[in-house]
Coordinates of all heavy atoms in Angstrom, one line a residue:
M1 N 0.8 -1.2 0.0 CA -0.1 0.0 0.0 C 0.9 1.2 0.0 O 1.8 1.4 0.8 CB -0.9 0.0 1.2 CG -1.9 1.0 1.3 SD -2.9 0.8 2.7 CE -4.5 1.1 1.9
S2 N 0.6 2.2 -0.8 CA 1.4 3.3 -0.9 C 1.2 4.4 0.2 O 0.0 4.4 0.6 CB 1.2 4.0 -2.3 OG 0.0 4.5 -2.4
Q3 N 2.1 5.2 0.5 CA 1.9 6.3 1.5 C 1.2 7.4 0.8 O 1.3 7.7 -0.4 CB 3.3 6.8 1.9 CG 4.1 5.9 2.7 CD 3.7 5.8 4.1 OE1 3.1 6.7 4.6 NE2 4.0 4.6 4.7
P4 N 0.3 8.1 1.6 CA -0.4 9.2 1.1 C 0.6 10.3 0.7 O 1.6 10.5 1.5 CB -1.5 9.7 2.2 CG -1.1 8.8 3.3 CD -0.1 7.8 3.0
I5 N 0.3 11.0 -0.3 CA 1.2 12.2 -0.7 C 0.9 13.4 0.1 O -0.3 13.8 0.2 CB 1.0 12.4 -2.2 CG1 1.4 11.2 -3.1 CG2 1.9 13.6 -2.7 CD1 1.2 11.4 -4.6
E6 N 1.9 13.9 0.7 CA 1.7 15.2 1.4 C 1.5 16.3 0.6 O 2.3 16.4 -0.5 CB 2.9 15.4 2.4 CG 2.9 14.5 3.6 CD 4.0 14.8 4.7 OE1 4.5 15.9 4.5 OE2 4.2 14.1 5.5
P7 N 0.7 17.3 0.9 CA 0.6 18.5 0.1 C 2.1 19.2 0.0 O 2.8 19.1 1.0 CB -0.5 19.3 0.7 CG -0.9 18.6 2.0 CD -0.1 17.3 2.0
P8 N 2.3 19.9 -1.0 CA 3.6 20.6 -1.1 C 3.9 21.6 0.1 O 5.0 21.8 0.4 CB 3.5 21.4 -2.4 CG 2.3 20.8 -3.1 CD 1.4 20.2 -2.1
D9 N 2.9 22.1 0.7 CA 3.1 23.1 1.7 C 3.1 22.5 3.1 O 3.1 23.3 4.1 CB 2.1 24.2 1.6 CG 2.2 24.9 0.2 OD1 3.2 24.9 -0.3 OD2 1.1 25.4 -0.2
A10 N 3.0 21.1 3.2 CA 3.0 20.5 4.5 C 4.1 20.8 5.4 O 3.9 21.0 6.7 CB 2.8 19.0 4.3
L11 N 5.3 20.9 5.0 CA 6.5 21.2 5.7 C 6.3 22.7 6.3 O 6.5 22.9 7.5 CB 7.8 21.1 5.1 CG 9.0 21.4 5.8 CD1 9.1 20.5 7.0 CD2 10.3 21.2 4.9
L12 N 5.9 23.6 5.4 CA 5.7 25.0 5.9 C 4.6 25.0 7.0 O 4.8 25.7 8.0 CB 5.4 25.9 4.7 CG 5.2 27.4 5.1 CD1 6.3 28.0 5.8 CD2 4.8 28.2 3.8
R13 N 3.5 24.4 6.8 CA 2.4 24.4 7.8 C 2.9 23.7 9.1 O 2.6 24.4 10.1 CB 1.2 23.6 7.2 CG 0.0 23.7 8.0 CD -1.2 23.1 7.5 NE -2.5 23.8 7.8 CZ -2.9 24.0 8.9 NH1 -2.3 23.6 9.9 NH2 -4.0 24.6 9.1
A14 N 3.6 22.7 9.0 CA 4.1 22.1 10.2 C 5.0 22.9 11.0 O 5.0 23.0 12.3 CB 4.8 20.7 9.9
T15 N 5.9 23.7 10.3 CA 6.8 24.6 10.9 C 6.0 25.8 11.7 O 6.4 26.0 12.8 CB 7.8 25.1 9.8 OG1 8.4 24.1 9.2 CG2 8.8 26.0 10.6
V16 N 5.0 26.3 11.0 CA 4.3 27.4 11.5 C 3.5 26.9 12.8 O 3.5 27.5 13.8 CB 3.3 28.0 10.5 CG1 2.4 29.1 11.1 CG2 4.0 28.6 9.3
V17 N 3.1 25.7 12.7 CA 2.2 25.1 13.8 C 3.1 24.9 15.0 O 2.8 25.2 16.2 CB 1.5 23.8 13.4 CG1 0.9 23.1 14.7 CG2 0.3 24.1 12.5
A18 N 4.4 24.4 14.8 CA 5.4 24.2 15.9 C 5.7 25.5 16.5 O 5.7 25.6 17.7 CB 6.6 23.5 15.3
I19 N 5.9 26.4 15.7 CA 6.3 27.8 16.3 C 5.2 28.4 17.1 O 5.2 28.9 18.2 CB 6.7 28.7 15.3 CG1 8.1 28.3 14.6 CG2 7.0 30.2 15.7 CD1 8.5 29.0 13.4
A20 N 3.9 28.2 16.5 CA 2.7 28.7 17.2 C 2.5 28.1 18.5 O 2.1 28.7 19.5 CB 1.5 28.6 16.3
R21 N 2.8 26.7 18.6 CA 2.6 26.1 19.9 C 3.6 26.5 20.9 O 3.2 26.6 22.0 CB 2.7 24.6 19.6 CG 1.5 23.9 19.0 CD 1.7 22.4 18.8 NE 0.6 21.9 18.2 CZ 0.7 20.8 17.4 NH1 1.8 20.1 17.2 NH2 -0.4 20.3 16.8
R22 N 4.8 26.8 20.6 CA 5.7 27.3 21.5 C 5.4 28.7 21.9 O 5.8 29.1 23.1 CB 7.1 27.3 21.0 CG 7.8 25.9 20.9 CD 9.3 26.1 20.6 NE 9.6 26.7 19.3 CZ 9.9 28.0 19.1 NH1 10.1 28.7 20.1 NH2 10.1 28.5 17.9
T23 N 4.7 29.5 21.1 CA 4.6 30.9 21.5 C 3.1 31.2 21.8 O 2.7 32.4 21.9 CB 5.0 31.9 20.3 OG1 4.2 31.5 19.2 CG2 6.5 31.7 20.0
A24 N 2.3 30.2 22.1 CA 0.9 30.4 22.3 C 0.5 31.2 23.4 O -0.6 31.9 23.5 CB 0.3 29.0 22.5
E25 N 1.4 31.4 24.4 CA 1.0 32.2 25.6 C 1.1 33.7 25.3 O 0.6 34.5 26.0 CB 2.0 31.9 26.8 CG 3.4 32.3 26.6 CD 4.3 31.5 25.7 OE1 3.8 30.3 25.4 OE2 5.4 31.8 25.4
N26 N 1.6 34.1 24.1 CA 1.8 35.5 23.7 C 0.8 35.8 22.6 O 1.0 35.2 21.4 CB 3.2 35.8 23.3 CG 3.5 37.2 23.2 OD1 2.5 38.1 22.9 ND2 4.7 37.7 23.3
P27 N -0.3 36.5 22.9 CA -1.3 36.6 21.8 C -0.9 37.4 20.5 O -1.4 37.1 19.4 CB -2.4 37.4 22.5 CG -1.8 38.0 23.6 CD -0.7 37.2 24.0
R28 N 0.0 38.3 20.6 CA 0.4 39.1 19.4 C 1.1 38.2 18.3 O 0.6 38.2 17.2 CB 1.3 40.3 19.8 CG 0.5 41.3 20.5 CD 1.2 42.6 20.7 NE 1.5 43.3 19.5 CZ 2.5 44.0 19.2 NH1 3.5 44.1 20.1 NH2 2.6 44.6 18.1
P29 N 2.2 37.4 18.7 CA 2.7 36.5 17.7 C 1.7 35.4 17.2 O 1.7 35.1 16.1 CB 3.9 35.9 18.3 CG 4.2 36.8 19.5 CD 2.9 37.5 19.8
A30 N 0.8 35.0 18.2 CA -0.2 34.0 17.8 C -1.1 34.4 16.7 O -1.4 33.7 15.8 CB -0.9 33.6 19.1
E31 N -1.5 35.7 16.8 CA -2.4 36.2 15.7 C -1.6 36.3 14.3 O -2.2 35.9 13.3 CB -2.8 37.7 16.1 CG -3.9 37.7 17.2 CD -4.2 39.1 17.6 OE1 -4.1 40.0 16.8 OE2 -4.7 39.3 18.7
A32 N -0.4 36.7 14.4 CA 0.4 36.8 13.1 C 0.6 35.4 12.6 O 0.4 35.2 11.4 CB 1.8 37.5 13.4
L33 N 0.9 34.5 13.4 CA 1.1 33.1 12.9 C -0.2 32.5 12.3 O -0.1 31.7 11.4 CB 1.7 32.2 14.0 CG 3.1 32.7 14.5 CD1 3.6 31.9 15.7 CD2 4.1 32.5 13.3
Q34 N -1.3 32.9 13.0 CA -2.6 32.4 12.5 C -2.9 32.8 11.0 O -3.3 32.1 10.2 CB -3.8 32.8 13.4 CG -5.1 32.3 13.0 CD -5.2 30.8 12.8 OE1 -4.7 30.1 13.7 NE2 -5.8 30.3 11.7
S35 N -2.5 34.1 10.8 CA -2.7 34.7 9.4 C -1.7 33.9 8.4 O -2.0 33.8 7.3 CB -2.5 36.2 9.4 OG -1.2 36.6 9.8
V36 N -0.5 33.5 9.0 CA 0.4 32.8 8.0 C -0.2 31.4 7.7 O -0.2 31.0 6.6 CB 1.7 32.5 8.8 CG1 2.6 31.6 7.9 CG2 2.5 33.9 9.0
L37 N -0.9 30.8 8.6 CA -1.5 29.5 8.4 C -2.6 29.7 7.3 O -2.8 28.8 6.5 CB -2.1 28.9 9.7 CG -1.1 28.2 10.6 CD1 -1.8 27.8 11.9 CD2 -0.4 27.1 10.0
E38 N -3.3 30.8 7.5 CA -4.4 31.1 6.5 C -3.9 31.2 5.1 O -4.4 30.7 4.1 CB -5.2 32.3 6.9 CG -6.2 32.0 8.2 CD -6.6 33.3 8.7 OE1 -6.5 34.4 8.0 OE2 -7.2 33.3 9.8
L39 N -2.7 31.8 5.0 CA -2.1 32.0 3.7 C -1.6 30.5 3.2 O -1.9 30.3 2.0 CB -0.8 32.9 3.8 CG -1.2 34.3 3.9 CD1 0.1 35.1 4.3 CD2 -1.8 35.0 2.7
V40 N -1.1 29.8 4.0 CA -0.7 28.4 3.6 C -1.9 27.6 3.2 O -1.9 26.9 2.0 CB 0.0 27.6 4.8 CG1 0.2 26.2 4.3 CG2 1.3 28.3 5.1
D41 N -3.0 27.7 3.9 CA -4.2 26.9 3.5 C -4.9 27.5 2.3 O -5.6 26.8 1.7 CB -5.2 27.0 4.7 CG -4.8 26.2 5.9 OD1 -3.7 25.4 5.8 OD2 -5.2 26.4 7.0
N42 N -4.5 28.7 1.8 CA -5.2 29.2 0.7 C -4.0 29.2 -0.5 O -4.2 30.0 -1.5 CB -5.5 30.7 0.9 CG -6.7 30.8 1.7 OD1 -7.7 30.1 1.5 ND2 -6.8 31.6 2.7
D43 N -3.2 28.2 -0.5 CA -2.1 28.0 -1.5 C -1.3 29.2 -1.8 O -1.0 29.5 -2.9 CB -2.9 27.4 -2.7 CG -3.4 26.1 -2.5 OD1 -2.9 25.3 -1.8 OD2 -4.5 25.8 -3.0
E44 N -1.0 30.0 -0.7 CA -0.2 31.2 -0.9 C 1.2 31.0 -0.1 O 1.6 31.7 0.6 CB -0.8 32.5 -0.4 CG -2.1 32.8 -1.2 CD -1.9 33.4 -2.5 OE1 -0.7 33.8 -2.8 OE2 -2.7 33.5 -3.3
A45 N 1.9 29.9 -0.5 CA 3.0 29.4 0.2 C 4.2 30.5 0.2 O 4.8 30.8 1.4 CB 3.6 28.1 -0.2
E46 N 4.4 31.0 -0.9 CA 5.5 32.1 -1.0 C 5.3 33.3 -0.1 O 6.1 33.8 0.6 CB 5.8 32.5 -2.4 CG 6.5 31.4 -3.2 CD 6.7 31.9 -4.7 OE1 7.3 32.9 -4.8 OE2 6.4 31.1 -5.6
L47 N 4.1 33.7 -0.2 CA 3.6 34.9 0.7 C 3.6 34.5 2.1 O 3.9 35.3 2.9 CB 2.2 35.3 0.2 CG 1.7 36.7 0.7 CD1 2.6 37.8 0.4 CD2 0.2 36.9 0.1
A48 N 3.1 33.2 2.4 CA 3.2 32.8 3.8 C 4.5 32.7 4.4 O 4.8 33.2 5.6 CB 2.5 31.4 3.8
L49 N 5.5 32.3 3.6 CA 6.9 32.2 4.0 C 7.4 33.6 4.4 O 8.0 33.8 5.4 CB 7.8 31.5 3.0 CG 9.2 31.3 3.4 CD1 9.5 30.5 4.6 CD2 10.0 30.9 2.2
D50 N 7.1 34.5 3.5 CA 7.6 35.8 3.7 C 6.9 36.5 4.9 O 7.6 37.2 5.7 CB 7.3 36.7 2.4 CG 7.9 38.1 2.4 OD1 9.1 38.2 2.6 OD2 7.1 39.1 2.3
H51 N 5.7 36.2 5.1 CA 4.9 36.8 6.3 C 5.4 36.1 7.5 O 5.6 36.9 8.6 CB 3.4 36.6 6.1 CG 2.6 37.2 7.2 ND1 2.6 38.6 7.4 CD2 1.6 36.7 7.9 CE1 1.8 38.8 8.4 NE2 1.2 37.7 8.7
L52 N 5.7 34.9 7.5 CA 6.2 34.3 8.7 C 7.5 34.7 9.0 O 7.8 35.1 10.2 CB 6.4 32.7 8.4 CG 7.1 31.9 9.5 CD1 6.4 32.0 10.8 CD2 7.4 30.5 9.0
V53 N 8.5 35.0 8.1 CA 9.8 35.5 8.4 C 9.7 37.0 9.0 O 10.3 37.2 10.0 CB 10.7 35.4 7.2 CG1 12.0 36.2 7.4 CG2 10.9 34.0 6.7
R54 N 8.9 37.7 8.4 CA 8.7 39.1 8.9 C 8.0 39.1 10.2 O 8.3 40.1 11.0 CB 7.9 39.9 7.8 CG 8.7 40.0 6.6 CD 8.3 41.1 5.7 NE 9.1 41.1 4.4 CZ 10.4 41.4 4.3 NH1 11.0 41.8 5.3 NH2 11.0 41.3 3.1
S55 N 7.1 38.2 10.5 CA 6.5 38.1 11.8 C 7.5 37.7 12.8 O 7.5 38.2 14.0 CB 5.4 37.1 11.8 OG 4.3 37.5 10.9
V56 N 8.4 36.7 12.6 CA 9.4 36.4 13.5 C 10.3 37.6 13.8 O 10.6 37.9 14.9 CB 10.3 35.2 12.9 CG1 11.6 35.0 13.6 CG2 9.5 33.9 12.9
E57 N 10.7 38.3 12.8 CA 11.6 39.4 12.9 C 10.8 40.5 13.7 O 11.4 41.1 14.8 CB 11.9 40.0 11.6 CG 12.7 41.3 11.7 CD 13.0 41.9 10.3 OE1 12.2 41.9 9.4 OE2 14.2 42.3 10.1
Y58 N 9.6 40.9 13.4 CA 8.9 41.9 14.2 C 8.6 41.6 15.7 O 8.8 42.3 16.5 CB 7.6 42.2 13.4 CG 6.8 43.3 14.0 CD1 7.0 44.6 13.9 CD2 5.7 42.9 14.9 CE1 6.4 45.7 14.4 CE2 4.9 43.9 15.6 CZ 5.3 45.3 15.3 OH 4.6 46.3 15.9
H59 N 8.1 40.3 15.9 CA 7.8 39.8 17.3 C 9.0 39.3 18.0 O 8.9 39.0 19.1 CB 6.6 39.0 17.1 CG 5.4 39.5 16.7 ND1 4.7 40.4 17.4 CD2 4.6 39.3 15.5 CE1 3.5 40.8 16.7 NE2 3.6 40.2 15.5
R60 N 10.1 39.2 17.4 CA 11.3 38.7 17.9 C 11.1 37.2 18.5 O 11.3 36.9 19.6 CB 11.9 39.5 18.9 CG 12.1 41.0 18.4 CD 12.9 41.9 19.2 NE 14.3 41.6 19.3 CZ 15.3 41.7 18.4 NH1 15.0 42.1 17.3 NH2 16.5 41.3 18.7
I61 N 10.4 36.5 17.6 CA 10.1 35.1 17.9 C 11.3 34.2 17.8 O 11.9 34.1 16.7 CB 8.9 34.5 17.1 CG1 7.7 35.4 17.2 CG2 8.6 33.1 17.4 CD1 6.7 35.2 16.2
P62 N 11.7 33.5 18.9 CA 12.9 32.5 18.7 C 12.4 31.4 17.8 O 11.3 30.9 17.9 CB 13.1 32.1 20.1 CG 11.9 32.5 21.0 CD 11.2 33.5 20.2
V63 N 13.4 31.0 17.1 CA 13.1 29.8 16.2 C 14.2 28.8 16.5 O 15.3 29.0 16.6 CB 13.3 30.3 14.6 CG1 13.2 29.2 13.7 CG2 12.4 31.3 14.3
L64 N 13.6 27.6 16.7 CA 14.6 26.4 17.0 C 15.4 26.0 15.8 O 14.9 26.2 14.6 CB 13.7 25.2 17.5 CG 12.9 25.3 18.7 CD1 12.1 24.1 19.0 CD2 13.8 25.7 19.9
R65 N 16.5 25.5 15.9 CA 17.4 25.0 14.8 C 16.7 24.3 13.9 O 16.7 24.4 12.6 CB 18.7 24.4 15.3 CG 19.5 23.7 14.2 CD 20.0 24.7 13.1 NE 20.8 25.8 13.7 CZ 21.3 26.8 13.0 NH1 21.1 26.9 11.6 NH2 22.0 27.8 13.6
E66 N 15.9 23.3 14.3 CA 15.2 22.4 13.5 C 14.1 23.1 12.6 O 14.0 22.8 11.4 CB 14.5 21.2 14.2 CG 13.7 20.2 13.5 CD 13.1 19.2 14.4 OE1 12.6 19.5 15.5 OE2 13.0 18.0 14.0
E67 N 13.4 24.0 13.3 CA 12.4 24.8 12.5 C 13.1 25.8 11.4 O 12.6 25.7 10.4 CB 11.6 25.7 13.5 CG 10.8 24.9 14.6 CD 10.4 25.8 15.7 OE1 10.9 26.9 15.9 OE2 9.5 25.3 16.5
Y68 N 14.2 26.1 11.8 CA 15.0 27.1 10.8 C 15.4 26.1 9.6 O 15.2 26.5 8.4 CB 16.3 27.6 11.5 CG 17.1 28.4 10.5 CD1 16.6 29.6 10.0 CD2 18.3 27.8 9.9 CE1 17.5 30.4 9.1 CE2 19.1 28.6 9.1 CZ 18.6 29.8 8.7 OH 19.4 30.5 7.8
D69 N 15.9 24.9 10.0 CA 16.1 24.1 8.8 C 15.1 23.7 7.9 O 15.1 23.6 6.7 CB 16.9 22.7 9.4 CG 18.2 22.9 10.0 OD1 18.8 24.1 9.7 OD2 18.6 22.1 10.8
W70 N 13.9 23.5 8.6 CA 12.6 23.2 7.8 C 12.3 24.5 6.8 O 11.9 24.3 5.7 CB 11.4 23.0 8.6 CG 11.6 21.7 9.4 CD1 12.4 20.7 9.3 CD2 10.8 21.4 10.7 NE1 12.2 19.6 10.2 CE2 11.2 20.1 11.1 CE3 9.9 22.0 11.5 CZ2 10.7 19.5 12.3 CZ3 9.3 21.4 12.5 CH2 9.7 20.1 12.9
L71 N 12.5 25.7 7.4 CA 12.2 26.8 6.6 C 13.2 27.0 5.5 O 12.8 27.4 4.4 CB 12.3 28.2 7.6 CG 11.0 28.2 8.5 CD1 11.3 29.4 9.5 CD2 9.7 28.3 7.8
V72 N 14.5 26.7 5.7 CA 15.5 26.7 4.6 C 15.0 25.7 3.5 O 15.1 26.1 2.3 CB 16.9 26.4 5.2 CG1 17.8 26.2 4.0 CG2 17.3 27.5 6.1
A73 N 14.7 24.6 3.9 CA 14.2 23.6 2.9 C 12.9 24.1 2.1 O 12.9 23.9 0.9 CB 13.9 22.2 3.6
E74 N 12.0 24.7 2.8 CA 10.9 25.2 2.2 C 11.2 26.3 1.3 O 10.7 26.5 0.2 CB 9.8 25.6 3.2 CG 8.5 25.9 2.6 CD 7.8 24.7 2.0 OE1 8.2 23.5 2.0 OE2 6.7 24.9 1.2
A75 N 12.1 27.2 1.7 CA 12.5 28.3 0.9 C 13.1 27.9 -0.4 O 12.9 28.4 -1.4 CB 13.4 29.3 1.7
A76 N 14.0 26.8 -0.3 CA 14.7 26.3 -1.4 C 13.6 25.7 -2.4 O 13.7 25.9 -3.6 CB 15.6 25.2 -1.0
R77 N 12.6 24.9 -1.9 CA 11.5 24.4 -2.7 C 10.8 25.4 -3.5 O 10.4 25.3 -4.6 CB 10.6 23.5 -1.8 CG 9.5 22.8 -2.7 CD 8.5 22.1 -1.8 NE 7.5 23.0 -1.1 CZ 6.5 23.6 -1.8 NH1 6.3 23.3 -3.0 NH2 5.7 24.4 -1.2
L78 N 10.5 26.6 -2.8 CA 9.8 27.6 -3.3 C 10.7 28.5 -4.2 O 10.1 29.6 -4.8 CB 9.1 28.4 -2.2 CG 7.9 27.7 -1.4 CD1 7.5 28.5 -0.3 CD2 6.8 27.4 -2.4
D79 N 11.9 28.4 -4.2 CA 12.9 29.3 -4.8 C 12.8 30.7 -4.2 O 12.7 31.7 -5.0 CB 12.8 29.3 -6.2 CG 14.0 30.0 -7.1 OD1 15.0 29.9 -6.4 OD2 13.8 30.4 -8.1
S80 N 12.6 30.7 -2.9 CA 12.4 32.0 -2.2 C 13.4 32.2 -1.0 O 13.1 32.7 0.1 CB 11.0 32.1 -1.5 OG 10.1 32.1 -2.6
Q81 N 14.7 31.8 -1.3 CA 15.7 31.9 -0.2 C 15.9 33.4 0.2 O 16.4 33.7 1.3 CB 17.1 31.4 -0.8 CG 17.0 29.8 -0.9 CD 16.6 29.5 -2.3 OE1 16.0 30.3 -3.2 NE2 17.0 28.3 -2.7
D82 N 15.6 34.3 -0.7 CA 15.7 35.7 -0.4 C 14.8 36.1 0.8 O 15.2 37.0 1.5 CB 15.6 36.6 -1.5 CG 14.2 36.4 -2.2 OD1 13.6 35.3 -2.2 OD2 13.6 37.4 -2.8
S83 N 13.7 35.5 1.0 CA 12.9 35.7 2.2 C 13.6 35.5 3.4 O 13.4 36.3 4.4 CB 11.7 34.9 2.1 OG 10.8 35.1 1.1
L84 N 14.4 34.5 3.5 CA 15.3 34.3 4.8 C 16.4 35.2 4.8 O 16.7 35.7 5.9 CB 15.6 32.8 4.7 CG 14.6 31.7 4.6 CD1 15.3 30.4 4.7 CD2 13.6 31.9 5.6
S85 N 17.1 35.4 3.8 CA 18.3 36.2 3.8 C 18.0 37.7 4.1 O 18.9 38.4 4.7 CB 19.2 36.0 2.6 OG 18.6 36.4 1.5
E86 N 17.0 38.2 3.4 CA 16.7 39.7 3.6 C 16.4 40.1 5.0 O 16.8 41.3 5.4 CB 15.6 40.0 2.7 CG 15.8 40.1 1.2 CD 14.7 40.3 0.4 OE1 13.5 40.6 0.9 OE2 14.8 40.3 -0.8
T87 N 15.9 39.2 5.7 CA 15.5 39.7 7.2 C 16.6 39.1 8.3 O 16.4 39.6 9.4 CB 14.2 39.0 7.6 OG1 14.2 37.6 7.5 CG2 13.0 39.5 6.7
G88 N 17.4 38.3 7.8 CA 18.5 37.8 8.8 C 17.8 36.9 9.8 O 18.1 36.9 11.0
L89 N 17.0 36.0 9.3 CA 16.2 35.1 10.1 C 17.2 34.4 11.1 O 16.7 34.0 12.2 CB 15.4 34.2 9.3 CG 14.5 33.2 10.1 CD1 13.4 33.9 10.8 CD2 13.9 32.2 9.1
E90 N 18.3 34.1 10.6 CA 19.2 33.2 11.3 C 19.6 33.8 12.7 O 19.9 33.1 13.7 CB 20.5 33.0 10.6 CG 21.3 31.8 11.2 CD 22.3 31.3 10.2 OE1 22.1 31.4 9.0 OE2 23.4 30.8 10.7
Q91 N 19.4 35.2 12.9 CA 19.7 35.7 14.2 C 18.7 35.4 15.3 O 19.0 35.5 16.5 CB 19.8 37.3 14.1 CG 18.5 37.9 13.8 CD 18.6 39.4 13.6 OE1 19.3 40.0 14.3 NE2 17.9 40.0 12.7
F92 N 17.6 34.8 14.9 CA 16.6 34.4 15.8 C 16.6 32.9 16.3 O 15.8 32.4 17.0 CB 15.2 34.9 15.3 CG 15.0 36.3 15.1 CD1 15.1 36.9 13.9 CD2 14.8 37.1 16.2 CE1 15.0 38.2 13.7 CE2 14.7 38.5 16.1 CZ 14.8 39.0 14.8
V93 N 17.6 32.2 15.6 CA 17.7 30.8 15.9 C 18.3 30.6 17.2 O 19.3 31.2 17.6 CB 18.6 30.1 14.7 CG1 18.7 28.7 15.0 CG2 17.9 30.4 13.4
I94 N 17.6 29.6 18.0 CA 18.1 29.2 19.2 C 18.3 27.7 19.2 O 17.8 27.1 18.5 CB 17.1 29.6 20.4 CG1 15.8 28.9 20.2 CG2 17.0 31.1 20.5 CD1 14.8 29.2 21.3
G95 N 19.3 27.2 20.0 CA 19.5 25.8 20.2 C 20.3 25.2 19.1 O 20.5 25.4 18.0

């Protein structure tokens, strides 16, 4: 039996959900991350990635190394590496 095929944006969605769970006690980043999920769910992955990176920067949300690696992989898949480099997302990586 074959494995179900994951949607192309599954990694991005999983990353946003992981970050949202860690920051759930703070309502401002939670709202921003919810809007990122809405973009992902509406097939706007490139826009969602950009919004996520800018939300991390604006709210100074710490990003775990594993989450950062997922974002790098997703940016490469979307050919949107500039979204990560323009904001200096790496400065928010912890662990």
Side-chain angles (χ1 to χ4, degrees):
M1 187 174 220
S2 65
Q3 293 282 336
I5 298 173
E6 287 190 7
D9 305 328
L11 182 58
L12 180 56
R13 187 173 217 302
T15 306
V16 176
V17 168
I19 294 170
R21 284 184 181 147
R22 278 190 307 97
T23 61
E25 70 282 349
N26 192 335
R28 290 187 69 216
E31 288 177 22
L33 295 173
Q34 182 59 41
S35 66
V36 173
L37 285 176
E38 290 170 9
L39 289 168
V40 172
D41 292 343
N42 288 313
D43 294 324
E44 297 285 349
E46 287 181 49
L47 189 56
L49 179 63
D50 189 55
H51 187 55
L52 173 61
V53 171
R54 297 201 184 284
S55 295
V56 166
E57 179 184 39
Y58 180 80
H59 295 289
R60 308 193 65 72
I61 301 170
V63 177
L64 299 177
R65 172 57 61 185
E66 181 179 37
E67 295 163 347
Y68 177 76
D69 292 343
W70 294 342
L71 291 174
V72 168
E74 189 65 10
R77 184 187 74 78
L78 295 169
D79 195 26
S80 294
Q81 294 91 337
D82 56 330
S83 289
L84 303 182
S85 61
E86 287 176 2
T87 59
L89 182 68
E90 195 162 334
Q91 68 182 322
F92 298 99
V93 176
I94 58 172

